[in-house]
Amino acid sequence: MEKESVNPRDVIVKPNYMLMSLQRILVLFVILAGVIVVVYYTPMPEEYFENCDRECHELDWPMICRVKLVIEVYKTYSKSCNNCAEAHGTDCPPMCITADGRERGVLAANRELPAPSFHVCQNDILVVDVVHRAPAHALSIHWRGQPQRETPFMDGAPMLTQCPQPAYTTFQYKFRASAVGTHMYHAHSAADAADGLAGALIVRQSPRLDPLRKLYDVDDTEHTIFVAEWGHSMGPLAGVTPNAPNAESLLINGKGRSSEYSNAPITTFAVENGKRYRFRLMYGGGSKSCPIKFSVDDHVLKIIALDGSSIKPVEVDAITFARGERVDFVLDANKASGVYKMRVVAEKSCQENLEGVAELVYKTLDSKTLQKTNENINLPVNRELTTVNSDRCASDKVLCLNEIHSADKFPAKLAAAIDEVIYVPFNYSTRQISAKRVESWGQTDGFRFTYPASPLLTQGSDVASEAICARGSNDDECVHIKNIPLRSTVELVMFDQGGESDHIFHLHGYNFYVVGIREFNTSIDKQQIKEMNEKGTLFISTNLIDPVIKDTIVIPKFGVVALRFEADNPGYWMMRDERSAHWTRGLDFVLKVGEESDFVQAPPDFPKCGSYVGPEYFLI
């Protein structure tokens, strides 16, 4: 018999299970070793950091930045000053507030003016313990520019996202600093902010991720500029009288001079010749919140960001901006060594002779160091940037907001058909209370805003339905809410029908694109605005390619603006009237984005508040 041939392919080879096991173990060992190396060499977040100001790196873990703000009534030129202002050349102690050289009460945080600056990296966790020791004050702190997506109840809007903090209590704000840029924090009450309770909040990112990094060499804490109005007639009663009191001076980082005290200390900013510095400028405003013009003698300002959002750089010799707005600019220190004045001047149409000054000081160079002085590097620029729209925009020497271009392209979904177009006219009304008294208040879309008795976000079920504004209601005041579906595209068309003055509005929780702005010479009703907008004739031109991104907008007298954004941050978000001296003057309104089921819930032990009505009868 012939032997059958065996096909080698039919032979079953038994796998080497031991070898396979060793291979798996080796792979797992390599992975584990890699994880150990990464964890070992990556700094982990610690429990407590008083100062998170550092060089940011994209591979670092976020820090937990825990700080304490002690809010108390303090005064300028307190005993801690030891007459340092009279001793020329003597530095004042840290707890000494000099302001403009005169004694005055201050609502201070940690006995500093302005309030302490926070410098953190993107996604750091801020834990701020606010210890409230100022009597007769209900307090809340708003963290301007932060969207609060994970923690909307930390936005700091009283009776909307939290109960106002009573005196002699402590409230802890805890949130992620997710929005990069130059921002601020301040008391919700403008009078409290004018008394000193406002400061800088700077959120940096890794230099490798910063698209503006190539434009400057230095970005440090010492080049933060906080401007504020200051005066002795300002304070808690500001705004109760019909006319807001005049300010006496403009302070730069809490220091300035008045006509009575021309030798008071002023702030200095040190630079070295040959370096480019990123300055972060913000305006806290005051009782009048006049627009201000900022400039540095003999230097060009390269504007690179507005309200924390990058723009295509523009070179100007001055910038005019309003309360709550922030400006980043690059200064090329290429002048001869010396001292140059840094000036802020209020618009004369708001108040005359209101100004402030600081000094830009070139450090003395070693005699062996070659000083770089080339005047041609920084040629004079004869034009100004302004965020305050006016008839000056027709001049070639003035760049207005609609002529500024964002560094980012306009999202395609916002350039297409908009889901929700909301028209918001605002105006002032008056009512005769008595023969000698006339009451005046603001209203938006026919409603005079007031706050609810309980916070809408955390105690919405406690707010009575009749407290919410409704068409056909005869209530003098109500909680003005506009409902917006979650993830819809929105255009807010806001316009002034009163012509009283420029108005400043700040939107909580969002940035918006300014796609159109125009100034009329007369009042226009809502139906006319709507028809013009639908026909495309409302604005002379609209920018649907690269409009500037902001969170604060100045609406000129009889002016109209169109603001677009995607409603992707659920919650109750306030459109805040920045000229209100206290909590409101009736011009505010609230955007409710999404439904309650979409909202991030506050912790179970979050503080509660509300109205109280006692029993009908008392036993005597």
Side-chain angles (χ1 to χ4, degrees):
M1 294 179 62
E2 293 184 4
K3 223 178 206 182
E4 287 186 13
S5 60
V6 179
N7 192 336
R9 295 179 181 177
D10 296 335
V11 177
I12 300 176
V13 180
K14 186 176 182 181
N16 189 336
Y17 293 108
M18 182 174 292
L19 180 60
M20 294 173 63
S21 298
L22 289 174
Q23 289 174 337
R24 291 191 182 99
I25 292 172
L26 180 62
V27 170
L28 289 174
F29 177 79
V30 171
I31 294 174
L32 180 61
V35 170
I36 292 173
V37 169
V38 170
V39 171
Y40 182 79
Y41 286 102
T42 302
M44 296 289 288
E46 297 182 14
E47 293 183 0
Y48 192 93
F49 284 91
E50 283 201 348
N51 188 355
C52 287
D53 184 13
R54 65 196 189 280
E55 180 77 17
C56 302
H57 195 279
E58 66 271 18
L59 296 181
D60 286 349
W61 287 84
M63 282 188 174
I64 300 173
C65 314
R66 186 167 186 176
V67 295
K68 180 184 289 186
L69 291 180
V70 180
I71 312 301
E72 60 185 332
V73 177
Y74 197 52
K75 63 177 290 187
T76 61
Y77 285 103
S78 62
K79 292 182 179 180
S80 64
C81 293
N82 296 323
N83 297 321
C84 63
E86 286 81 14
H88 297 288
T90 302
D91 290 333
C92 291
M95 292 296 179
C96 175
I97 298 176
T98 58
D100 64 354
R102 296 173 293 175
E103 291 188 3
R104 179 198 189 282
V106 182
L107 188 62
N110 296 359
R111 299 189 173 182
E112 295 182 33
L113 182 72
S117 296
F118 295 155
H119 295 259
V120 302
C121 292
Q122 186 179 20
N123 291 324
D124 280 352
I125 307 299
L126 263 172
V127 181
V128 184
D129 297 323
V130 179
V131 183
H132 185 4
R133 294 179 180 169
H137 267 77
L139 181 68
S140 68
I141 305 293
H142 173 53
W143 308 92
R144 198 182 197 96
Q146 296 304 308
Q148 304 286 3
R149 290 180 182 275
E150 300 166 285
T151 52
F153 40 86
M154 293 295 176
D155 185 54
M159 309 312 295
L160 297 181
T161 62
Q162 69 169 88
C163 303
Q165 184 180 350
Y168 300 105
T169 63
T170 299
F171 185 89
Q172 185 180 85
Y173 290 93
K174 187 185 301 180
F175 61 94
R176 186 186 307 277
S178 60
V180 170
T182 300
H183 305 297
M184 298 167 50
Y185 71 96
H186 53 81
H188 182 79
S189 169
D192 290 347
D195 273 338
L197 195 46
L201 172 58
I202 309 300
V203 183
R204 292 183 172 86
Q205 62 186 147
S206 166
R208 290 180 56 187
L209 301 178
D210 185 359
L212 301 172
R213 184 63 183 85
K214 63 181 181 297
L215 300 177
Y216 59 88
D217 305 310
V218 181
D219 176 20
D220 58 23
T221 308
E222 287 72 25
H223 297 102
T224 301
I225 307 172
F226 192 97
V227 183
E229 286 182 352
W230 196 249
H232 285 227
S233 56
M234 299 161 63
L237 295 180
V240 174
T241 55
N243 297 317
N246 282 344
E248 278 92 19
S249 60
L250 290 170
L251 303 184
I252 298 180
N253 288 2
K255 297 179 180 179
R257 288 172 176 167
S258 63
S259 57
E260 301 173 29
Y261 295 88
S262 57
N263 292 324
I266 58 175
T267 303
T268 61
F269 299 91
V271 296
E272 292 182 14
N273 187 276
K275 292 185 178 180
R276 300 168 300 168
Y277 291 84
R278 179 174 185 169
F279 281 81
R280 298 172 180 270
L281 168 66
M282 60 211 73
Y283 179 33
S287 66
K288 296 196 73 171
S289 296
C290 295
I292 59 171
K293 178 189 285 189
F294 175 90
S295 63
V296 182
D297 287 0
D298 301 328
H299 286 77
V300 171
L301 312 179
K302 180 180 284 187
I303 312 298
I304 60 174
L306 296 175
D307 290 359
S309 297
S310 302
I311 65 170
K312 293 179 181 177
V314 293
E315 292 187 345
V316 296
D317 58 10
I319 178 167
T320 298
F321 63 116
R323 169 191 169 92
E325 294 187 297
R326 293 89 68 200
V327 181
D328 290 41
F329 67 88
V330 175
L331 183 141
D332 192 349
N334 63 352
K335 300 298 180 182
S337 292
V339 178
Y340 298 84
K341 294 295 184 184
M342 185 178 285
R343 307 176 189 274
V344 283
V345 181
E347 277 198 351
K348 292 182 179 179
S349 59
C350 180
Q351 182 179 330
E352 293 188 354
N353 301 319
L354 178 60
E355 56 188 44
V357 67
E359 291 180 342
L360 182 75
V361 180
Y362 279 70
K363 293 180 182 178
T364 303
L365 298 175
D366 185 83
S367 58
K368 298 179 181 179
T369 305
L370 178 64
Q371 180 172 325
K372 176 185 175 184
T373 306
N374 185 350
E375 300 296 333
N376 292 326
I377 293 177
N378 215 351
L379 294 174
V381 175
N382 187 21
R383 66 175 177 176
E384 170 193 340
L385 171 63
T386 179
T387 65
V388 183
N389 205 77
S390 68
D391 53 7
R392 296 175 61 237
C393 292
S395 170
D396 293 335
K397 296 182 179 180
V398 178
L399 282 174
C400 286
L401 204 58
N402 57 349
E403 299 175 272
I404 304 302
H405 302 277
S406 171
D408 302 316
K409 292 297 182 184
F410 195 46
K413 63 173 63 178
L414 291 178
I418 296 297
D419 299 325
E420 301 285 328
V421 180
I422 302 174
Y423 296 91
V424 187
F426 52 90
N427 202 340
Y428 259 78
S429 299
T430 57
R431 181 174 60 179
Q432 193 78 33
I433 302 299
S434 64
K436 297 183 179 180
R437 183 183 171 194
V438 176
E439 186 182 48
S440 176
W441 68 87
Q443 57 184 16
T444 56
D445 207 6
F447 298 114
R448 179 186 180 188
F449 179 83
T450 191
Y451 287 86
S454 297
L456 288 169
L457 183 69
T458 56
Q459 293 175 250
S461 58
D462 295 341
V463 179
S465 58
E466 56 267 23
I468 309 300
C469 296
R471 290 296 173 194
S473 172
N474 294 321
D475 291 339
D476 290 336
E477 296 180 317
C478 54
V479 185
H480 188 184
I481 300 175
K482 294 188 177 296
N483 297 287
I484 299 175
L486 184 61
R487 285 179 285 276
S488 62
T489 55
V490 181
E491 179 173 280
L492 275 178
V493 181
M494 300 182 63
F495 50 102
D496 173 35
Q497 294 180 320
E500 177 209 27
S501 66
D502 292 341
H503 289 76
I504 311 167
F505 283 90
H506 165 63
L507 180 58
H508 291 221
Y510 285 92
N511 287 331
F512 47 72
Y513 293 85
V514 184
V515 298
I517 184 167
R518 183 178 177 183
E519 187 175 5
F520 294 96
N521 294 320
T522 185
S523 179
I524 301 180
D525 65 37
K526 183 177 179 179
Q527 187 60 34
Q528 285 179 286
I529 290 287
K530 185 175 181 180
E531 291 175 357
M532 292 173 67
N533 195 39
E534 290 173 349
K535 293 177 181 178
T537 60
L538 181 58
F539 301 101
I540 298 174
S541 64
T542 55
N543 185 351
L544 300 182
I545 300 175
D546 52 3
V548 66
I549 306 169
K550 298 185 94 281
D551 60 32
T552 304
I553 186 70
V554 181
I555 304 176
K557 291 186 293 186
F558 293 127
V560 57
V561 296
L563 316 173
R564 290 192 187 185
F565 61 94
E566 182 182 1
D568 56 359
N569 189 13
Y572 287 98
W573 304 110
M574 191 173 199
M575 180 62 92
R576 165 78 168 157
D577 166 30
E578 288 290 288
R579 286 194 179 275
S580 172
H582 295 281
W583 277 16
T584 185
R585 56 175 181 169
L587 288 176
D588 310 285
F589 60 96
V590 176
L591 301 179
K592 180 186 178 184
V593 179
E595 302 299 330
E596 281 78 1
S597 58
D598 301 316
F599 298 166
V600 178
Q601 298 301 311
D605 58 348
F606 197 78
K608 295 186 180 298
C609 57
S611 297
Y612 170 75
V613 178
E616 188 173 356
Y617 301 103
F618 289 91
L619 295 176
I620 300 175

